[in-house]
């Protein structure tokens, strides 16, 4: 698991390097591992109208949804920090916000997996891994609407 986790975190860190964050200066990257082993990434995209900002996890989930892969999600890694040259700073793991937890839950319920969420610090010094159900207990999703078993 550690090898897969570390590769996923590296992909998220690479995605963070492509973030568009001119307002906060805080870059976040997400990497989604699909059941077939493919990795799909996303980075945060800020907007002058702050409410229109896209989180990295949302951008990545939108990619898999648009490709018809929403039920293929297996794991997620999230990395965030302030850019310093080619590196990211920050020693605290970055956790998904509430909106992103809900977005991830939609895909996880479709995948029928309580996905692992790897939260990593920008500088790579810390990683915390959770099951999504730990981050979003008693989640509301497609199952509550009778759309999946």
């Amino acid at each position: 698991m550690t090898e897969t986790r570390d590769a996923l975190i590296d992909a998220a860190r690479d995605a963070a390097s492509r973030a568009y964050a001119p307002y906060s200066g805080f870059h976040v990257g997400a990497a989604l591992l699909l059941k077939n082993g493919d990795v799909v990434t996303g980075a945060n995209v800020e907007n002058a109208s702050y409410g229109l900002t896209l989180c990295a996890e949302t951008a990545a989930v939108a990619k898999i949804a648009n490709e018809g892969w929403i039920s293929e999600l297996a794991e997620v890694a999230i990395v965030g920090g302030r850019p310093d040259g080619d590196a990211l700073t920050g020693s605290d793991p970055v956790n998904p916000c509430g909106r992103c937890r809900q977005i991830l839950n939609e895909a996880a319920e479709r995948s029928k997996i309580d996905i692992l969420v790897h939260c990593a610090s920008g500088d790579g010094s810390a990683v915390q891994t959770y099951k999504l159900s730990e981050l979003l207990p008693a989640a509301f999703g497609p199952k509550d609407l009778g759309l999946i078993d």
Side-chain angles (χ1 to χ4, degrees), residues 34-145:
L34 305 183
K35 291 177 183 177
N36 68 1
D38 287 350
V39 174
V40 177
T41 62
N44 58 317
V45 178
E46 293 181 349
N47 190 283
S49 175
Y50 294 130
L52 299 179
T53 294
L54 296 176
C55 296
E57 303 92 322
T58 302
V61 170
K63 280 183 175 180
I64 66 171
N66 287 328
E67 294 296 331
W69 305 327
I70 194 142
S71 62
E72 300 303 310
L73 182 60
E75 282 183 48
V76 175
I78 303 156
V79 175
R82 297 200 181 278
D84 183 16
D86 291 336
L88 288 177
T89 62
S91 58
D92 293 327
V94 173
N95 296 305
C97 71
R99 176 181 179 227
C100 288
R101 292 172 195 210
Q102 184 64 40
I103 295 288
L104 290 169
N105 181 69
E106 183 83 11
E109 281 194 23
R110 297 266 177 202
S111 293
K112 299 182 190 279
I113 298 174
D114 189 5
I115 63 169
L116 293 177
V117 181
H118 309 290
C119 304
S121 62
D123 66 7
S125 66
V127 176
Q128 294 176 332
T129 298
Y130 305 93
K131 288 184 176 182
L132 182 58
S133 62
E134 293 175 283
L135 294 174
L136 189 64
F140 179 85
K143 68 181 177 350
D144 297 297
L145 300 174

